[in-house]
Amino acid sequence: MPSLFLLLAPLASAQSTLLPDGVETTHFENGLTLHVIPTPTPGVVSWQTWVDVGSKNEVMEGTTGLAHLFEHLMFYGSADLPRQAREDELLRLGVSENAWTWMDETVYTAVVPAASLERVVEIEADRFLNFQVSAEQLQRESGAVYGEYRMSRASAWGMSDEQLYAAAYVHHPYHHPTIGWEADIQAMPTAIEDARDFFAMWYRPERTRIVVSGDVDPLQVKAWVQKSWNSWEVNSETYVVPIEPVATESLRIQVDWSGGPTSPLLLAGYRMPSFDPASTESAAWAVMEELLTGPTAPLRTTLERETGWALDFGGGDPGFTDPHLFVLSVELSEADHLTQVEAAITSELTRWATQPNAAELKTAQEHALRAMRLRLDDPVAVSDLVGRMTRGGAPARVVETFAANYAAVDVDAIAAVAQTMLLASSQATAVLLPPAAPTPPSTNSASTQEQP
Amino acid sequence: MIALLAMACIKPTPPGLSPAQERETLHAQVVQELEGSQVIYLQATILAGSAADPIGQEGVAYLTARMLREGGAGARSSAEVDALLSEMAATVQVIVDKDLVTFRGKALASDADRFVPLFTDMLANPAWDVTRFEQLREQSIQRLGTRLLADTESLGDAALDSWLNEGHPYGHTVQGRTGALEVLTLEEAQAFYAKAYVREAVTIGIAGDVAAQGALIEGLMALPVGRRLNPTPRSRPPVEGRALAIIQGSGDSVGWHMGHPIDVDRDHPDYPALLLGLSAFGEHRQSWGTMFQVMRTERGLNYGDYAYLEHYRQVGGSDVQELGTLRLQPQFSMWLRPIQPENAAFALKLALTLVEQLVEDGLDSGHFERMQQSLVKRTQTMARDPGRRLGFAVDAAVMGHPNRLEMGPALQALTLEQVNSALRTHVHPDKLKIVGVAPEPESLLATLFEDSPTPIVYADVTPSPEQDLLDQRVAASSAQLISGVILPAQDLFR
């Protein structure tokens, strides 16, 4: 008899699956998708509602940041269960919830005691089907969004990434950051009509996937979802996201940074195709990420251990659903090492483009797949993975297709990726070179004031 | 089912309450066998955190822990350790805090024969790669001298943490001081290791497939017998009145961090009551807190406002508390995330008003009852995986406290009066150290010391009459500060 807290699936064999038996994917008539993954985690359920609307969908002038604003507004609930009542009930149910927004999606997450799940299904349906927000509530929430915007300005990494994408994508909405441009955020308090239009357009069942992992009976969850979400209506409108013309030359920007002290930063970006979990090409780019940034990748060893040129090194494919950048991020120990670091990256890419090593490749693939399996002992990690992999409408089992493709990537596929990365037209680079540090004031300059 | 086969077969003693003893055994062990598991979860927690840094060597505890993980183990070089871990897809994380250092490992049970000796070699037979030491030392200096100063939120947290514990072993950051790090040597790290990493200081945990339990113990018995460092609580500077320090921040908004020492740890009879009261007032990144509702939901002042009974370290970008970060001497604190400068003084005064109300009026019965149900039910979802479940148990064994995952009955038994009484007894709104991180410290300091009102500036929000009444009262109130100082950020961590 299987015991509790086993891992999801047998691990030892390379042929083993990532997800357990009993995974159910249901496409309801109104277009809503439900993925249920029972995991041996007694009493714990991870609920995630993935809405395929992110900052990429902010195509109307002056509406940047609306997808993220909506992430906030959705916590205001409905007329029947407005914010306070909703929050009070979720509190009693022992639920902790949160949400996040990025380029392609907005995701509402909750960790739920298994005994509370039935009611949570209803509460979650209520806000999606009967969402209601007033102009006054929008005004209040805009302040919190502006606060988040201000926090984001303090991140040298965030600002570098924002400026790199703004330069690399001029037509496609990846041009603007998910948080939005400041002028649009400042205008949010009065943007109630834009917000209502945005919700009506994008928050629709055909753009929504529910992922439930944990201590659940898939058939029971399906019945609950069917009952509560069935009346949600599909939206027949279609839309077109502008296409970015193919780049013909390399791009290089100096990051404009007036914030606090920072190390020099390098973001070496490479234009790559849309992420598709079922495609062999996406799998090859994912393997390339492991070859370049994995825990024992030669490039990492060179930059961090052997030379100390990098204080921190990472990055890879963020998995966006339209063509985007594969970015290697380097925090440099000194600005003087920039040339050496870029040469080391080019050298490693050249090695993979011209002399790909089959044994090294095989080892990296096996390690990465094992590591992925080991991470899936947490139902939240399972929901994250399934949510990310099923954005194109695939069943949850597409995770296995991705793993199989990943394992099958060969030296030719890797060489092709490396050759693409070496093309000048593929490259989009951002460099942040901080100004020289000011001389610290002496401690005598501290002023003191006593309460009268 | 979870089988606690040998929970604490060596009875743990609360580290702060008994004299250090020289024992031939490890301090305690926690075993959580999961029948049929194919994974082995390991943990070793050592009383060797930054509070044990010798004066002048602040940062040595942190660097020592990092060196054990990254400086080679046994006959393996640093790179060979990484290669073996990678080959097994295994992980070993190190968490360093003020009192505790935690090594957390995870691997396939089929690799236990290679993984367990590697794990124990890291702790008992380190290789001390000098190149890695220099890299880690430089990294620490850079983190404290550059990255921390640029991170407004972490800067405020670290500054409050240091100021609250001035003159105490908690008074420097876990990573140390740049001045000390600049002259720290590998020999000093080795000497620290020899003193701190003795059997009596080590609590171990194993979960999942526990067949390697014997090998784990045997490997760690290679540590010397010795007297563990004495972590007996020491007095912290008393906080009299409300004292203010403002630091020049690099952003364009103002963050507030404030608190005072507290003597309520998880073994204190008032812990469940105070946990409930402060969760209701401002649980980390949850919207149900009173502060969050009044400041963010109703007024849109900022992104979030929280209150803590224990110093809070978040796991990555999640809202989950990092394990292995309990302290022998906890502190109460509040955090107001960045606010537009024009509302900074108002926001501080509003938070002070709210915490005064919390202590004077307590929770109402509805809020109490909802929070009680929430906390009781969430005890079962706090550990979503076996490694985290083990972490809670080891934390309890190390500290000699009840396991947080087993506090459901104590929370269920609470009454409203117990909660409100605990808030009155232990939270002191009139005795706070307050740290602000602000773009223009001088003007903010002057504003707070002037008697003129500091009205809230709304962005297109029309307040309700009730809200307006509170706004006017807060705007006209005094922060009642007894002192104020502007601190140059560059000197804080030197």
Side-chain angles (χ1 to χ4, degrees):
Chain A
M1 177 179 159
S3 64
L4 305 176
F5 278 119
L6 288 181
L7 262 188
L8 297 181
L11 286 155
S13 147
Q15 285 75 43
S16 59
T17 58
L18 287 165
L19 300 180
D21 293 340
V23 173
E24 289 279 343
T25 292
T26 306
H27 299 289
F28 293 98
E29 278 184 19
N30 62 359
L32 178 73
T33 300
L34 170 69
H35 303 291
V36 187
I37 307 99
T39 68
T41 49
V44 187
V45 177
S46 157
W47 171 286
Q48 298 187 351
T49 310
W50 286 64
V51 188
D52 292 333
V53 55
S55 50
K56 171 176 102 174
N57 304 89
E58 296 157 350
V59 291
M60 302 287 286
E61 181 75 21
T63 62
T64 68
L66 262 185
H68 172 247
L69 174 68
F70 248 93
E71 174 209 316
H72 287 240
L73 295 179
M74 286 299 287
F75 289 84
Y76 282 86
S78 69
D80 287 344
L81 201 59
R83 181 173 187 133
Q84 192 62 54
R86 178 181 179 279
E87 202 160 79
D88 287 352
E89 185 167 2
L90 289 172
L91 190 56
R92 281 180 208 279
L93 291 167
V95 175
S96 27
E97 58 170 349
N98 219 315
W100 57 269
T101 310
W102 209 6
M103 300 288 198
D104 298 320
E105 63 265 309
T106 307
V107 184
Y108 299 87
T109 66
V111 176
V112 182
S116 299
L117 183 60
E118 181 176 7
R119 180 60 186 144
V120 168
V121 174
E122 294 171 352
I123 293 173
E124 187 71 345
D126 178 63
R127 70 167 165 174
F128 277 81
L129 274 66
N130 306 308
F131 171 72
Q132 184 167 300
V133 68
S134 69
E136 190 185 13
Q137 288 166 333
L138 182 142
Q139 286 169 349
R140 288 169 206 274
E141 204 54 39
S142 299
V145 170
Y146 202 6
E148 211 174 335
Y149 173 83
R150 286 192 298 274
M151 288 194 301
S152 73
R153 302 301 89 183
S155 164
W157 280 116
M159 293 301 292
S160 301
D161 194 58
E162 177 178 314
Q163 291 178 34
L164 176 60
Y165 263 91
Y169 293 88
V170 178
H171 298 275
H172 189 281
Y174 286 164
H175 173 71
H176 69 265
T178 299
I179 191 75
W181 298 125
E182 185 168 19
D184 294 347
I185 295 169
Q186 286 171 330
M188 275 177 184
T190 56
I192 186 70
E193 291 309 320
D194 285 344
R196 286 177 177 147
D197 290 348
F198 192 87
F199 181 79
M201 176 79 187
W202 302 112
Y203 276 66
R204 289 293 168 185
E206 73 276 16
R207 309 188 63 81
T208 303
R209 291 166 290 124
I210 296 169
V211 184
V212 185
S213 307
D215 185 5
V216 291
D217 170 356
L219 290 178
Q220 181 67 79
V221 176
K222 182 178 169 182
W224 289 336
V225 170
Q226 168 87 37
K227 183 178 159 201
S228 300
W229 295 70
N230 197 36
S231 61
W232 201 11
E233 290 176 6
V234 70
N235 180 15
S236 56
E237 290 183 65
T238 56
Y239 75 105
V240 177
V241 171
I243 295 171
E244 189 71 22
V246 175
T248 54
E249 53 190 26
S250 66
L251 170 80
R252 189 176 184 89
I253 64 161
Q254 295 281 338
V255 176
D256 178 15
W257 173 249
S258 55
T262 174
S263 307
L265 305 180
L266 165 67
L267 280 72
Y270 304 88
R271 294 181 191 273
M272 66 170 290
S274 310
F275 178 75
D276 173 358
S279 91
T280 53
E281 191 177 25
S282 287
W285 281 87
V287 173
M288 179 56 94
E289 177 178 320
E290 181 70 16
L291 292 172
L292 296 175
T293 69
T296 54
L299 181 60
R300 175 183 293 285
T301 304
T302 301
L303 297 181
E304 288 188 340
R305 295 298 182 90
E306 290 170 1
T307 64
W309 293 336
L311 293 166
D312 214 348
F313 172 63
D317 176 12
F320 296 156
T321 55
D322 283 347
H324 57 281
L325 297 177
F326 177 108
V327 179
L328 296 174
S329 306
V330 189
E331 181 182 10
L332 298 157
S333 54
E334 291 177 27
D336 291 349
H337 297 319
L338 177 62
T339 308
Q340 293 156 305
V341 168
E342 292 196 276
I345 293 172
T346 303
S347 166
E348 183 66 354
L349 290 176
T350 304
R351 183 170 77 88
W352 283 108
T354 57
Q355 300 170 300
N357 182 314
E360 210 179 315
L361 170 65
K362 187 80 181 159
T363 302
Q365 286 165 302
E366 286 177 1
H367 296 175
L369 284 170
R370 275 184 140 198
M372 192 188 297
R373 290 194 174 96
L374 266 170
R375 281 196 292 272
L376 295 180
D377 58 357
D378 173 352
V380 174
V382 174
S383 292
D384 286 343
L385 178 67
V386 171
R388 195 156 38 87
M389 291 285 175
T390 57
R391 286 180 297 194
R397 287 283 177 201
V398 76
V399 169
E400 314 299 352
T401 308
F402 176 78
N405 286 341
Y406 191 100
V409 170
D410 61 18
V411 287
D412 293 338
I414 283 298
V417 170
Q419 286 156 13
T420 300
M421 295 173 80
L422 286 165
L423 295 173
S425 58
S426 163
Q427 297 175 2
T429 304
V431 177
L432 190 159
L433 296 174
T439 309
S442 78
T443 49
N444 294 337
S445 66
S447 63
T448 306
Q449 192 163 352
E450 297 296 328
Q451 178 82 317
Chain B
M1 64 182 293
I2 301 168
L4 296 183
L5 295 183
M7 166 72 186
C9 67
I10 307 158
K11 182 173 169 48
T13 48
L17 301 178
S18 64
Q21 303 159 46
E22 189 166 300
R23 290 206 306 211
E24 294 192 357
T25 56
L26 303 172
H27 179 253
Q29 59 177 310
V30 177
V31 183
Q32 297 182 336
E33 181 176 10
L34 310 170
E35 191 186 335
S37 175
Q38 298 176 55
V39 181
I40 174 170
Y41 300 86
L42 296 183
Q43 187 165 329
T45 296
I46 305 101
L47 277 162
S50 65
D53 285 337
I55 292 170
Q57 294 178 27
E58 290 86 355
V60 72
Y62 178 83
L63 281 183
T64 300
R66 291 283 304 270
M67 279 299 289
L68 300 187
R69 165 64 185 82
E70 297 173 47
R76 289 190 172 85
S77 68
S78 176
E80 287 167 342
V81 167
D82 285 345
L84 180 55
L85 283 171
S86 177
E87 191 180 324
M88 296 184 286
T91 52
V92 178
Q93 282 179 288
V94 187
I95 309 294
V96 187
D97 201 73
K98 301 282 189 187
D99 289 309
L100 306 181
V101 173
T102 294
F103 289 76
R104 195 183 292 152
K106 181 174 170 185
L108 293 177
S110 55
D111 286 322
D113 288 351
R114 295 187 291 170
F115 181 60
V116 175
L118 179 65
F119 186 85
T120 57
D121 270 352
M122 283 182 186
L123 282 147
N125 195 12
W128 301 110
D129 179 331
V130 66
T131 306
R132 190 61 188 149
F133 177 80
E134 287 305 321
Q135 288 170 347
L136 290 172
R137 192 174 67 87
E138 285 298 323
Q139 208 179 64
S140 280
I141 292 170
Q142 194 278 341
R143 294 283 184 269
L144 289 172
T146 302
R147 191 186 274 193
L148 183 56
L149 301 184
D151 179 350
T152 305
E153 298 197 327
S154 300
L155 174 62
D157 179 62
L160 176 67
D161 209 12
S162 296
W163 192 29
L164 268 185
N165 297 293
E166 205 172 13
H168 182 277
Y170 290 174
H172 57 274
T173 73
V174 168
Q175 288 195 327
R177 296 187 297 107
T178 53
L181 287 164
E182 280 159 6
V183 293
L184 199 66
T185 65
L186 180 62
E187 290 71 29
E188 286 168 329
Q190 290 168 326
F192 178 84
Y193 169 77
K195 274 200 310 185
Y197 286 73
V198 297
R199 292 180 199 174
E200 215 281 319
V202 180
T203 298
I204 58 168
I206 181 168
D209 182 323
V210 301
Q213 180 190 356
L216 176 66
I217 294 172
E218 190 182 333
L220 291 177
M221 289 296 276
L223 286 167
V225 173
R227 186 161 294 204
R228 64 170 158 74
L229 299 176
N230 182 1
T232 300
R234 300 177 206 185
S235 63
R236 287 178 285 185
V239 180
E240 301 297 342
R242 288 178 182 163
L244 173 69
I246 305 185
I247 301 162
Q248 172 87 52
S250 54
D252 64 355
S253 49
V254 180
W256 292 112
H257 307 253
M258 65 203 86
H260 61 66
I262 200 166
D263 61 2
V264 181
D265 62 19
R266 290 187 181 181
D267 200 32
H268 191 288
D270 285 345
Y271 180 89
L274 208 50
L275 174 70
L276 194 156
L278 292 178
S279 295
F281 185 56
E283 186 168 325
H284 181 71
R285 291 187 63 189
Q286 299 297 339
S287 56
W288 56 63
T290 305
M291 271 203 299
F292 190 103
Q293 301 226 339
V294 173
M295 301 185 70
R296 169 169 161 176
T297 308
E298 293 173 10
R299 290 171 175 75
L301 276 169
N302 63 353
Y303 183 67
D305 307 279
Y306 319 119
Y308 306 93
L309 174 54
E310 292 160 346
H311 186 261
Y312 201 97
R313 271 173 70 176
Q314 177 178 286
V315 178
S318 74
D319 52 12
V320 174
Q321 185 173 10
E322 183 64 271
L323 300 177
T325 59
L326 288 182
R327 296 183 182 178
L328 295 166
Q329 293 180 269
Q331 59 206 35
F332 159 75
S333 61
M334 292 162 55
W335 177 25
L336 317 183
R337 299 186 79 164
I339 300 147
Q340 281 179 280
E342 62 266 33
N343 281 327
F346 176 86
L348 173 63
K349 292 198 286 187
L350 178 56
L352 292 170
T353 302
L354 293 176
V355 70
E356 285 167 359
Q357 283 178 357
L358 176 75
V359 170
E360 285 166 20
D361 305 338
L363 304 183
D364 65 42
S365 58
H367 203 177
F368 162 76
E369 183 261 333
R370 288 191 298 275
M371 201 66 235
Q372 185 175 40
Q373 286 193 35
S374 175
L375 283 171
V376 169
K377 287 178 179 163
R378 279 189 290 138
T379 52
Q380 65 178 311
T381 59
M382 291 177 73
R384 301 192 307 246
D385 64 83
R388 200 161 159 80
R389 182 168 294 276
L390 178 67
F392 276 106
V394 171
D395 272 358
V398 171
M399 305 299 273
H401 293 170
N403 187 336
R404 176 68 184 80
L405 297 183
E406 293 163 7
M407 281 190 192
L411 289 160
Q412 186 69 62
L414 286 173
T415 65
L416 173 61
E417 183 42 44
Q418 284 175 317
V419 171
N420 290 342
S421 168
L423 289 167
R424 280 194 301 274
T425 305
H426 300 290
V427 178
H428 305 295
D430 55 336
K431 295 177 181 175
L432 290 170
K433 284 189 172 173
I434 303 169
V435 169
V437 182
E440 294 178 4
E442 291 84 1
S443 64
L444 183 56
L445 189 72
T447 301
L448 284 165
F449 277 91
E450 283 169 3
D451 280 338
S452 51
T454 55
I456 181 172
V457 180
Y458 280 110
D460 300 309
V461 172
T462 308
S464 65
E466 189 186 343
Q467 191 171 325
D468 189 49
L469 208 62
L470 176 60
D471 287 349
Q472 290 187 32
R473 183 156 70 83
V474 169
S477 69
S478 162
Q480 297 180 328
L481 303 168
I482 60 163
S483 64
V485 62
I486 294 173
L487 299 175
Q490 293 90 338
D491 292 347
L492 286 176
F493 310 113
R494 274 207 65 77

